[in-house]
Amino acid sequence: EKKKKELSLPKPQQVISLSPNHPLYDEINEVTSAHMRRLLTSSQEEEDILWTCITDQGDLKVFTRKLEENGIVIDPLKAVATVRGITGHEVCYYFWEFENRLEWEATLESTRIVEWLSDDTFINNNVIKRVWPASQRDACFWSHIRHITANSDEGPDSWIVVNYSTDHSNCPANKYVRITMNVAMICQTIIEPPANGGEISRDNITVKITYTADVNPGGWAPASALRTVYKREYPRFLRRFTQYVIDKTKDKPILF
Ligand code: 6CM
C-alpha cells in the first residue's frame, strides 16, 4: 500500500495543477513566485546586515530578525542547510507529504487534511503542542509543492513547498489560538558525477535547502519563552527532518 503511494509521486510540475478558476489560484502563484524571487535576488551583503545567526553548525545555519508587532513576537526565521545523499525533490516531497509528519515535527500534536484542492495542493489543519504557560495553538494553511525548471525565468532548477495560512469553513478558529504563517522550503540539487563516468549514486548528490518561516503566534505569548522555543526547535526540526528523508530514501532509487 505504502509502496504504491511512493511510486505514484507527483510528476515534476512547472505550473500549478489547480484550476485557474479556483479562488486561491492567484494567491498560490503569487506567494510561490515571491518566495522564489526573494531567494534569487537576495545578496550576501544584505543578508549579513538583516539577519542574526542563532545557530551555526557548519552544514546548518539558522538566522532570525528580531521583530515585534503590538508586543507579539513575529521574528522572521531563515535556515540554510546542505545535506549529502538526498535530492531537492525528495526533501520537498517528504516535507509536503503530511502523513508521517508526526515522526519529524516534535512540536506537532496532530495534523489533518481539510480539503484536497489538486494533486499538488491541499488545505491542512495542524494542532501544535501546548507550551506552558501559553494557550494551545493551531494553524490552517494551504500546502503547495512545485518544480521550477532551470530554463524558466525564475532561475536555477528548484523544488519548493509553500505553507501559507488561509481560512476554511471546515476549519474554524474556535478551539485554539490560531497562528498564521508563511513558510517555504526551497531546494536545489548539486550533482557531482563520478570521475569514471559511472552511474550517479547518493554519494554524488548534495541538496541545498533554504527554509524560511514567518510565523505570527496569533495572540500574546511570552516573548522570551517563544524565542527560546524557536531557538531550540527549528534546528531540531531541520536535523530530524533531513535525517528522516535520508532514512526514507536510502534504499530507494534517487528521485531527481
Ligand atoms: O515548517 C514546519 N512544519 C510545517 C508542517 O507542519 C508547517 C508548520 C509551521 C508551524 C510553525 C509554528 C511553530 C511553533 C509555534 C509555537 C507557538 C507556541 C507558543 C508558545 C509560547 C511559549 O510549515 C516545521 C516547523 C518547525 C517548528 C519548530
Side-chain angles (χ1 to χ4, degrees):
E1 171 62 21
K2 189 101 204 111
K3 198 150 193 101
K4 221 163 83 199
K5 187 167 188 320
E6 274 157 4
L7 289 174
S8 64
L9 297 178
K11 294 223 166 55
Q13 305 278 340
Q14 291 170 50
V15 288
I16 186 169
S17 63
L18 188 65
S19 157
N21 300 325
H22 192 278
L24 285 172
Y25 179 85
D26 286 338
E27 178 178 283
I28 293 172
N29 282 321
E30 277 159 23
V31 174
T32 305
S33 298
H35 276 294
M36 288 310 297
R37 267 199 310 278
R38 178 169 154 187
L39 177 81
L40 298 169
T41 57
S42 61
S43 72
Q44 193 56 50
E45 205 174 88
E46 185 191 5
E47 306 272 287
D48 294 345
I49 297 168
L50 285 176
W51 298 89
T52 306
C53 186
I54 54 165
T55 301
D56 185 351
Q57 300 172 355
D59 57 341
L60 169 66
K61 293 188 175 65
V62 182
F63 306 85
T64 53
R65 261 175 26 224
K66 273 209 166 141
L67 201 61
E68 289 180 25
E69 213 172 65
N70 304 322
I72 296 176
V73 171
I74 51 165
D75 297 359
L77 181 131
K78 179 164 90 154
V80 182
T82 43
V83 186
R84 188 175 277 273
I86 49 179
T87 67
H89 189 173
E90 290 167 334
V91 170
C92 281
Y93 174 71
Y94 286 104
F95 184 63
W96 178 74
E97 189 245 18
F98 69 98
E99 275 169 32
N100 298 311
R101 207 179 268 161
L102 290 172
E103 284 184 39
W104 50 263
E105 192 162 341
T107 48
L108 201 57
E109 184 168 294
S110 65
T111 185
R112 72 177 174 106
I113 293 281
V114 178
E115 187 189 344
W116 275 99
L117 303 184
S118 54
D119 63 1
D120 55 15
T121 312
F122 59 87
I123 309 264
N124 200 188
N125 180 207
N126 270 355
V127 178
I128 298 155
K129 284 181 185 162
R130 181 169 180 237
V131 181
W132 187 89
S135 316
Q136 193 161 15
R137 261 85 174 158
D138 82 342
C140 180
F141 55 98
W142 51 256
S143 186
H144 173 63
I145 185 167
R146 187 181 303 197
H147 179 217
I148 295 163
T149 49
N151 49 9
S152 80
D153 287 336
E154 294 183 273
D157 193 291
S158 306
W159 276 88
I160 178 168
V161 175
V162 183
N163 292 338
Y164 189 87
S165 282
T166 194
D167 295 323
H168 194 288
S169 53
N170 289 340
C171 191
N174 55 11
K175 203 167 167 199
Y176 307 102
V177 175
R178 175 65 48 96
I179 69 164
T180 53
M181 62 161 110
N182 182 2
V183 170
M185 173 87 79
I186 307 180
C187 296
Q188 283 148 357
T189 309
I190 300 144
I191 303 168
E192 289 173 273
N196 60 10
E199 216 178 297
I200 293 166
S201 76
R202 292 198 173 273
D203 291 337
N204 306 119
I205 56 175
T206 306
V207 64
K208 180 173 181 227
I209 303 172
T210 306
Y211 170 87
T212 55
D214 290 342
V215 175
N216 185 321
W220 187 82
S224 64
L226 195 58
R227 288 189 168 121
T228 305
V229 169
Y230 286 172
K231 190 171 160 50
R232 188 183 62 224
E233 296 299 334
Y234 280 105
R236 182 191 276 184
F237 141 63
L238 282 147
R239 285 270 174 231
R240 270 176 77 152
F241 169 66
T242 49
Q243 189 55 50
Y244 169 81
V245 180
I246 292 169
D247 294 343
K248 281 297 251 197
T249 54
K250 67 176 188 295
D251 297 323
K252 293 195 178 71
I254 302 169
L255 184 65
F256 287 105

